[in-house]
Amino acid sequence: MLSRVAENVYWMARYLERVEDTSRLVMATHNTMLDMTPVSRVQPMNWEQLLAITGSREIFFKRNSRPDEHQIINFLIRDEEYHGSILNALHFARENLRTTRELFPRKAWEFLNRLFLDTRTACGHDFHAANRLEFLENVINECLKITGLLDSSMLRDEIFRMFRLGRYLERADMVTRILDVRGALMLAQKDVVDRPLRNALWLTVLKSLSGDQMYRRRVRPRIRGVDVLAFLLKDNAFPRAFRYGIEGVAGCLGFLGGAEAVQGIISRIETQLYLADITRLAENEGLHEFLDGLQILLGELHMTISATYFNQEIKKDAPPSGENSAGSTVGFSSNGSTSTSTLNRCSRPPVTTPFTGGTSA
Amino acid sequence: MLAIASTSSSYHPQGVYDELNMKANGRSDGECRLVSYLNELGQEELTRRQSAAEMAIVNLGITFTIYSEGENIDRAWPFDIIPRCMSELEWRRLESGLIQRTQALNAFIHDLYNGQRILKDGRFPGEVVLKSRNWRPQLVGVMPKFNVWANICGSDLLRDKDGVMYVLEDNLRVPSGVSYMLENRMLTKRILPEFYQNQSILPVDDYPSQLYDMLASLSPRPGDKTRVVVLTPGIYNSAYFEHAYLAQQMGVDLVEARDIMVDDQDTVHMKTIHGLKQIDVIYRRVDDDFIDPEVFRSDSALGVPGLIRAWKRGKVGLANAPGTGVADDKVVYSYMPDIIKYYLDEDPILPNVPTWRCHIPKERQHVLAHLDKLVVKPANESGGYGMLMGPHATPAEREKFVELIQANPRNYIGQKTLTPSTVPTLVNGRIEPRHVDLRPFILSGERTWITAGGLTRVALKRGSYVVNSSQGGGSKDTWVIADMHRGK
């Protein structure tokens, strides 16, 4: 597989996953916010958290005056300047697929193209409480259709693994972000938030990752903070759990090969996860620092993957059947700057500071 | 007079050769069936199906790209659902004529770069090619595999008022359009499925396999490990869709210049996630000028330094061969009957459009005296650019061409103005006659292979002759209908 193509496939997967995850996050938040009574003494959840989770506070405040529900939702769904908005992420996924469409089942382009065109049309209008759910649900369904298509019809070859690699990594990233912002805030207020509300909030965290049903089946019917944390971080059978994602990344890298440097980082992540004391973390002792550490390692993982597959110092392949001499090393610099798609790549900034706001009178 | 007229009183082709109308009495079975099929469907249903086709085109992302103020925009491919029909009998004659032409052209190009026998024999004026800007002296002495230079050729055919198919030009550089031919067929099968039952339309789907086999046969190291790639200028190119499409259909990598490199052994490699992999054959969709900055334009960012070196040393196959464009020239075109005679000792099967060459004083006089009747074309342009349509031009435009011709007579030819034939086309819910041309695609390697039919382009504006998709043209499926009752 060409390095340039690999990079496009990887980013296509990440952006597609980002679209799905962001949609689900907004939808779960919307549903929970409806249940939050204004009589509550504290508001452990608010819309502004979504900006922290997506790492977009700075650009949001450049573009908007007040972090209210309406502005935040429209920003996350359809802001043209914010690269991570659902509309833009879809656009970037589509642009990356456009340059690699010959590698995917034809229907993949058809579906993604249609989804982008429909989304662009829908984004011509404001999103209000009444129309946003239907829109978000449709986006999620269409994303599932595309990934389902690829899962069910692609060769299990390098292209497919590169796609999965991007997807697993994006998912792992998303789990740490949601837990960092939502989990940390909730735990900080655990003494003032009553149990039913706490449970509702943990349920939202699960729903943001479509994990509520699976949690109940896998762990217990009752929602408990420490169990949810353990499930989302350490479960090896739930596809959106952090550990599952990391194992998926490791599997793809094993298949793709040549990734010794990356394996080192994976081992560090796995060690940290293994040593993590979930009971203590659930008491909010060092949860943010722990998740921050994972995010830094995920960032390193991305950089190393990029250096290994996309912009490497490269070796010649073995000469075919006795022709030529031994392979020599030839360096080549990274991609030129002419491609549109190179512009369309962006890891999100990490959740830098623990987000603690939200206590209202 | 026309069966189709019963649903469409607007169908009145006048003063032209209409491909269905003219043959009202001599229509083939296939054509008769198409007419009655369209009549059965009726206007409303046809319009509904046209919408279905347009929806499919948007969904499938069948596009071409045009530049507009620095941004590139994907436009949906304009497609008309009513196919253009041709009998197999007629097609077979066109086919043999095109094969003859391509063989003669390849012999001519090979001769120019290897010996120049035709010039020495005084059968072709040397200054015409040796001063052409598409002549590449750097390539003299190169012997591509099978001595074939134009591996992929797309010739444009036009039927004039007299009903005769003329060859308008031979596109030998990087002809495009074949993907749309394939897509058009896919769309027609989807939109008019009933017609395919009990009907024998020659298939076109084999093109990608034939293309791959031809390309693989150019490999310097034949065998199972042959690595073929398609080289594209990139996503901004108007034919990017086609480049991606062909790579996909052949199951080969689509590469850009920055993905490949030539090493100090002059072998060509692509940069993969596992290092460099050797490339054997490149179907290049980049023009000569840009393909190798070491040899041609040094400012080209689309090219691969050293590629020509590798090709000359036989380390990689290139299709079409660099330098092929020397024969893609309107002046060379005018000599085709002589070229065919010289190399094949045959008379041309397909006629040229009557052409006057401005570098010959007598013929130039004729052109200058008939500017209001002729079409004047620059010798080296493609895509309909830089032309003068005499009958429609203003006096000022003609005056400008008088100057242009006198300043550089070698670069201009005058041609008889043809009136392209019309075929029924669905326009705003009505069936109306529209002008068409035809571009079949010819593959040449060890042997020659040709698509059954080709790409029919149609001028969608009333009365317009311009079929280019960038200028209001569309396309149709082309049906070569086997005559099942032949011999009865």
Side-chain angles (χ1 to χ4, degrees):
Chain A
M1 177 166 45
L2 287 172
S3 292
R4 174 179 56 83
V5 165
E7 197 171 4
N8 282 320
V9 169
Y10 172 83
W11 280 110
M12 197 270 275
R14 290 200 68 161
Y15 274 113
L16 196 62
E17 184 66 31
R18 200 170 292 181
V19 168
E20 187 186 331
D21 294 352
T22 308
S23 303
R24 197 174 275 118
L25 180 63
V26 175
M27 199 160 85
T29 306
H30 168 92
N31 283 328
T32 311
M33 291 299 282
L34 291 181
D35 286 339
M36 303 262 272
T37 51
V39 292
S40 274
R41 207 159 44 80
V42 288
Q43 289 288 8
M45 193 166 104
N46 60 47
W47 285 102
E48 211 173 329
Q49 289 168 338
L50 294 186
L51 301 178
I53 292 173
T54 53
S56 61
R57 287 179 61 87
E58 202 177 320
I59 176 153
F60 175 85
F61 283 107
K62 269 187 204 152
R63 312 259 306 142
N64 296 278
S65 46
R66 282 179 309 122
D68 65 11
E69 170 182 348
H70 181 257
Q71 293 197 358
I72 288 175
I73 287 211
N74 279 284
F75 171 78
L76 290 175
I77 293 181
R78 66 190 195 106
D79 193 288
E80 286 177 3
E81 298 293 315
Y82 168 45
H83 65 80
S85 69
I86 289 172
L87 178 62
N88 271 341
L90 263 179
H91 169 69
F92 295 145
R94 177 175 178 255
E95 289 310 306
N96 280 300
L97 181 58
R98 186 204 298 282
T99 54
T100 52
R101 61 191 278 187
E102 74 278 5
L103 307 174
F104 289 93
R106 185 169 183 156
K107 286 262 170 214
W109 172 259
E110 187 180 329
F111 290 164
L112 183 53
N113 189 42
R114 187 75 255 161
L115 175 58
F116 170 73
L117 295 174
D118 289 348
T119 303
R120 196 175 55 181
T121 307
C123 285
H125 307 283
D126 259 14
F127 286 96
H128 299 288
N131 63 1
R132 66 174 77 123
L133 274 194
E134 191 188 346
F135 168 80
L136 293 168
E137 235 163 36
N138 180 57
V139 170
I140 293 169
N141 292 348
E142 290 301 309
C143 288
L144 291 171
K145 196 162 99 182
I146 294 165
T147 46
L149 165 75
L150 301 186
D151 277 348
S152 63
S153 61
M154 280 189 76
L155 279 180
R156 267 37 183 177
D157 63 357
E158 291 174 339
I159 294 155
F160 185 74
R161 307 294 163 156
M162 193 54 84
F163 176 81
R164 280 233 163 136
L165 180 63
R167 192 161 129 197
Y168 284 132
L169 205 57
E170 184 72 20
R171 277 186 188 171
D173 182 57
M174 196 62 171
V175 178
T176 59
R177 284 167 182 282
I178 290 178
L179 287 178
D180 198 0
V181 176
R182 287 263 152 89
L185 174 65
M186 216 153 27
L187 292 171
Q189 301 178 329
K190 65 182 186 310
D191 300 331
V192 284
V193 178
D194 60 6
R195 178 179 289 276
L197 182 55
R198 226 158 52 216
N199 288 349
L201 294 173
W202 279 116
L203 190 59
T204 309
V205 169
L206 284 169
K207 281 186 172 167
S208 307
L209 297 160
S210 73
D212 50 318
Q213 259 183 294
M214 296 304 134
Y215 169 88
R216 289 185 210 274
R217 276 189 47 207
R218 176 89 167 162
V219 185
R220 57 172 67 213
R222 188 166 297 145
I223 307 285
R224 236 176 43 157
V226 61
D227 292 334
V228 172
L229 208 51
F231 177 68
L232 291 179
L233 282 174
K234 287 195 168 186
D235 200 276
N236 65 354
F238 176 57
R240 288 177 185 279
F242 182 81
R243 179 172 166 200
Y244 187 95
I246 290 303
E247 285 180 358
V249 167
C252 292
L253 291 171
F255 182 92
L256 291 165
E260 290 74 17
V262 189
Q263 294 296 355
I265 302 173
I266 302 251
S267 306
R268 278 158 62 204
I269 295 176
E270 282 174 337
T271 309
Q272 290 218 7
L273 202 59
Y274 178 75
L275 295 176
D277 180 345
I278 298 289
T279 317
R280 273 191 57 211
L281 291 178
E283 293 296 315
N284 199 27
E285 289 179 34
L287 179 62
H288 170 69
E289 290 73 15
F290 173 71
L291 293 169
D292 213 31
L294 291 184
Q295 283 202 358
I296 288 167
L297 284 170
L298 287 179
E300 274 181 43
L301 192 54
H302 164 71
M303 299 302 286
T304 315
I305 285 170
S306 175
T308 304
Y309 295 122
F310 310 150
N311 304 307
Q312 79 261 61
E313 282 284 311
I314 216 159
K315 282 200 190 104
K316 256 185 178 177
D317 60 343
S321 54
E323 196 188 319
N324 288 346
S325 54
S328 58
T329 304
V330 186
F332 76 84
S333 62
S334 70
N335 294 335
S337 55
T338 46
S339 161
T340 44
S341 48
T342 49
L343 303 173
N344 301 338
R345 294 168 184 149
C346 195
S347 291
R348 301 191 215 225
V351 178
T352 42
T353 50
F355 186 81
T356 53
T359 311
S360 62
Chain B
M1 61 169 182
L2 176 76
I4 217 163
S6 60
T7 55
S8 172
S9 55
S10 62
Y11 200 80
H12 294 303
Q14 277 168 353
V16 296
Y17 186 97
D18 186 80
E19 299 201 356
L20 270 188
N21 217 10
M22 283 296 184
K23 287 186 285 184
N25 301 319
R27 273 185 212 149
S28 68
D29 288 352
E31 287 164 325
C32 291
R33 272 197 296 273
L34 176 64
V35 169
S36 61
Y37 172 66
L38 293 176
N39 283 330
E40 273 167 34
L41 281 181
Q43 212 83 341
E44 221 169 277
E45 180 62 14
L46 272 179
T47 307
R48 200 190 64 71
R49 296 202 186 190
Q50 178 74 37
S51 310
E54 281 158 14
M55 182 56 78
I57 287 168
V58 172
N59 284 345
L60 296 170
I62 306 172
T63 59
F64 67 102
T65 309
I66 54 172
Y67 280 110
S68 166
E69 292 167 6
E71 281 184 46
N72 68 323
I73 301 172
D74 278 345
R75 289 269 180 91
W77 179 245
F79 171 72
D80 179 70
I81 59 168
I82 303 179
R84 186 246 197 111
C85 296
M86 192 178 291
S87 74
E88 189 183 354
L89 200 65
E90 172 172 33
W91 171 249
R92 292 299 170 206
R93 204 183 61 81
L94 295 178
E95 184 180 64
S96 57
L98 289 166
I99 289 173
Q100 177 196 51
R101 261 183 106 85
T102 314
Q103 285 172 347
L105 276 166
N106 273 308
F108 174 65
I109 301 166
H110 192 67
D111 186 19
L112 289 180
Y113 289 104
N114 292 280
Q116 305 185 340
R117 202 159 50 89
I118 194 170
L119 307 187
K120 287 171 188 154
D121 287 349
R123 300 281 295 276
F124 189 92
E127 73 277 7
V128 165
V129 289
L130 303 181
K131 284 183 187 161
S132 160
R133 69 179 167 87
N134 291 314
W135 166 246
R136 309 287 178 189
Q138 304 94 326
L139 306 180
V140 166
V142 179
M143 314 261 282
K145 218 161 174 187
F146 313 119
N147 297 341
V148 168
W149 293 65
N151 303 102
I152 300 109
C153 173
S155 294
D156 288 342
L157 304 178
L158 212 68
R159 197 194 296 280
D160 195 17
K161 275 184 290 208
D162 54 9
V164 174
M165 277 278 201
Y166 292 90
V167 180
L168 192 63
E169 60 184 42
D170 305 286
N171 296 290
L172 304 176
R173 283 173 269 192
V174 282
S176 62
V178 76
S179 60
Y180 301 113
M181 173 193 82
L182 296 165
E183 294 288 43
N184 288 353
R185 177 60 54 90
M186 182 275 299
L187 285 166
T188 319
K189 281 182 178 167
R190 185 175 170 141
I191 302 297
L192 304 175
E194 306 95 332
F195 192 78
Y196 277 83
Q197 289 152 11
N198 311 318
Q199 191 56 253
S200 167
I201 298 158
L202 299 190
V204 295
D205 308 347
D206 202 32
Y207 182 82
S209 309
Q210 295 285 347
L211 177 63
Y212 178 82
D213 287 346
M214 185 278 288
L215 291 170
S217 76
L218 305 180
S219 171
R221 32 168 216 177
D224 288 346
K225 289 177 72 179
T226 297
R227 184 176 277 118
V228 175
V229 299
V230 177
L231 173 63
T232 175
I235 193 163
Y236 292 115
N237 187 271
S238 62
Y240 181 79
F241 169 82
E242 174 155 305
H243 307 160
Y245 179 91
L246 290 175
Q248 179 179 46
Q249 294 292 312
M250 290 193 287
V252 305
D253 284 302
L254 177 67
V255 304
E256 295 176 19
R258 61 198 163 109
D259 299 323
I260 60 182
M261 57 153 310
V262 181
D263 69 10
D264 49 11
Q265 304 292 308
D266 291 342
T267 46
V268 186
H269 303 271
M270 63 181 198
K271 300 163 186 171
T272 78
I273 59 169
H274 298 307
L276 300 180
K277 300 283 179 196
Q278 191 175 340
I279 293 173
D280 300 301
V281 182
I282 300 175
Y283 177 21
R284 53 103 177 189
R285 297 292 298 254
V286 176
D287 281 326
D288 278 6
D289 275 342
F290 298 98
I291 203 168
D292 183 350
E294 277 185 12
V295 182
F296 303 124
R297 278 179 62 162
S298 57
D299 61 340
S300 170
L302 306 174
V304 183
L307 192 57
I308 295 293
R309 220 182 329 122
W311 178 64
K312 284 164 90 168
R313 283 194 60 191
K315 295 293 188 90
V316 70
L318 283 179
N320 286 344
T324 300
V326 69
D328 192 341
D329 180 302
K330 304 283 189 309
V331 179
V332 172
Y333 161 90
S334 71
Y335 285 95
M336 271 318 284
D338 307 308
I339 290 171
I340 292 170
K341 189 78 193 163
Y342 182 76
Y343 292 103
L344 306 179
D345 195 25
E346 291 171 11
D347 292 322
I349 299 169
L350 297 177
N352 264 9
V353 180
T355 303
W356 293 270
R357 297 160 282 217
C358 296
H359 70 283
I360 299 171
K362 223 173 105 189
E363 299 188 18
R364 179 165 69 242
Q365 287 315 314
H366 179 87
V367 173
L368 291 172
H370 296 87
L371 274 184
D372 58 335
K373 295 197 176 60
L374 300 177
V375 180
V376 180
K377 295 177 180 173
N380 286 317
E381 297 296 331
S382 59
Y385 293 103
M387 284 172 34
L388 176 80
M389 297 287 282
H392 306 294
T394 63
E397 284 168 332
R398 283 186 211 131
E399 207 47 47
K400 194 183 110 203
F401 266 79
V402 171
E403 283 168 30
L404 285 172
I405 291 169
Q406 279 167 343
N408 187 2
R410 157 65 181 90
N411 201 37
Y412 289 93
I413 54 132
Q415 257 176 0
K416 184 185 163 196
T417 306
L418 303 192
T419 308
S421 56
T422 56
V423 299
T425 302
L426 197 61
V427 182
N428 297 327
R430 289 146 59 102
I431 296 177
E432 294 186 11
R434 288 291 184 269
H435 298 285
V436 291
D437 76 352
L438 179 67
R439 177 178 289 184
F441 295 87
I442 307 122
L443 298 178
S444 307
E446 201 165 6
R447 61 197 181 84
T448 308
W449 184 88
I450 185 165
T451 54
L455 176 67
T456 290
R457 297 186 298 174
V458 52
L460 293 171
K461 284 184 217 146
R462 183 198 298 265
S464 169
Y465 293 178
V466 182
V467 295
N468 304 68
S469 52
S470 53
Q471 299 170 55
S475 75
K476 292 165 160 291
D477 193 11
T478 311
W479 286 357
V480 176
I481 301 178
D483 201 346
M484 292 184 295
H485 304 289
R486 197 150 30 114
K488 257 191 186 175

